[in-house]
Amino acid sequence: MSLTFSSSDFSAFVFAREVLKVDQQAAMSIQIGKASENNYWQSGLENILKNITRFGRIGLLYERKNKDAAKFIEDLKIEAFDYQPQKAKRAVKKPEIHAFETQVLCEMANEGLSDSVEFRRLTRKIIRRAKHAHCDVIFFLDAIMGEESTRKILQDLAGTQMKVVVPSDFLEISDIKQGELAITTSEDPDFTHKRAEDVLRRKVKRDSISLI
């Protein structure tokens, strides 16, 4: 059985890319236009608080239209998480969670426009807010922000004092079988093909793409 990744946008390709780093011949089914079954927010934040944050100040960045992310933040019970900052002597006693709403950035990343002056300008404004809150980790909840080129831009803008993490960082890869790559999409097939090759960083057969 092939691995399956689904998402309402092109972020399923981001997770698939992580698998291809392990095995370029991995069999996968990618569904664009279907809700994801796992967003990795809970496991990601648990990992951040236990293994990644140095000082305990975490910025959660999410697109304004991402109501699920807003609900996740609203329902957070941060005291239930295991907190082990890497720099315990300088860290806050209780972890601090700062939420920052973004606009347009997710859509631009989906459209392949993250390597633009406009994207950098808008992102810099948001990241500046996280810097003012003294965050040492910023977690982009929208998985498309984990596209390799986009993520590099985010880290460059964040600088060396803040670590950028994305949902695909917490994907656990196992039981890889070799085989075909199949893509179903509710988007335009030609544009889906372009984004697939951009994000997956490999050639994709056009006949592997079909409409939902």
Side-chain angles (χ1 to χ4, degrees), residues 36 63-64 137 140-141 149 151 156 163 169 206-207:
S36 174
E63 194 75 359
R64 180 186 66 82
V137 176
F140 284 87
L141 301 184
S149 57
R151 195 233 182 97
D156 287 345
K163 182 175 179 61
D169 288 343
R206 286 187 177 272
D207 61 9

Side-chain angles (χ1 to χ4, degrees), residues 9-25:
D9 58 7
F10 290 119
S11 58
F13 290 141
V14 175
F15 292 102
R17 170 61 184 161
E18 294 300 314
V19 177
L20 292 176
K21 288 179 184 178
V22 178
D23 188 343
Q24 277 285 323
Q25 305 304 317

Side-chain angles (χ1 to χ4, degrees), residues 40-197:
Y40 298 92
W41 299 335
Q42 181 80 13
S43 59
L45 189 53
E46 288 174 354
N47 199 307
I48 290 168
L49 289 170
K50 186 176 181 180
N51 302 309
I52 298 176
T53 184
R54 291 175 296 157
F55 309 121
R57 298 183 181 91
I58 317 300
L60 300 180
L61 286 75
Y62 68 101
E63 194 75 359
R64 180 186 66 82
K65 295 180 181 179
N66 194 338
K67 302 304 181 185
D68 289 340
K71 186 70 165 55
F72 169 75
I73 294 170
E74 180 183 342
D75 293 343
L76 265 181
K77 300 290 190 296
I78 198 64
E79 64 277 2
F81 287 75
D82 185 9
Y83 173 49
Q84 298 182 33
Q86 305 305 298
K87 303 287 185 180
K89 291 184 178 180
R90 296 174 55 192
V92 292
K93 291 184 178 180
K94 296 181 179 180
E96 297 178 4
I97 302 297
H98 302 271
F100 303 103
E101 194 176 80
T102 68
Q103 290 177 278
V104 186
L105 297 184
C106 187
E107 186 169 351
M108 292 182 75
N110 265 295
E111 294 291 317
L113 299 174
S114 58
D115 191 15
S116 66
V117 173
E118 292 78 10
F119 180 87
R120 292 170 186 269
R121 183 181 296 124
L122 291 169
T123 304
R124 191 175 286 112
K125 289 181 179 179
I126 296 296
I127 289 180
R128 188 178 298 124
R129 293 171 60 194
K131 287 182 177 180
H132 288 166
H134 304 291
C135 295
D136 66 275
V137 176
I138 49 177
F139 184 13
F140 284 87
L141 301 184
D142 297 286
I144 190 62
M145 307 303 268
E147 178 186 6
E148 288 182 34
S149 57
T150 302
R151 195 233 182 97
K152 184 178 185 303
I153 290 167
L154 297 176
Q155 188 61 69
D156 287 345
L157 294 174
T160 58
Q161 298 305 307
M162 280 199 301
K163 182 175 179 61
V164 170
V165 296
V166 293
S168 54
D169 288 343
F170 308 105
L171 175 66
E172 295 183 0
I173 302 171
S174 60
D175 299 324
I176 297 177
K177 304 289 191 300
Q178 292 193 338
E180 296 297 319
L181 173 67
I183 301 169
T184 57
T185 182
S186 61
E187 293 278 354
D188 175 74
D190 289 336
F191 190 68
T192 297
H193 180 260
K194 179 182 184 304
R195 292 303 288 139
E197 293 198 333

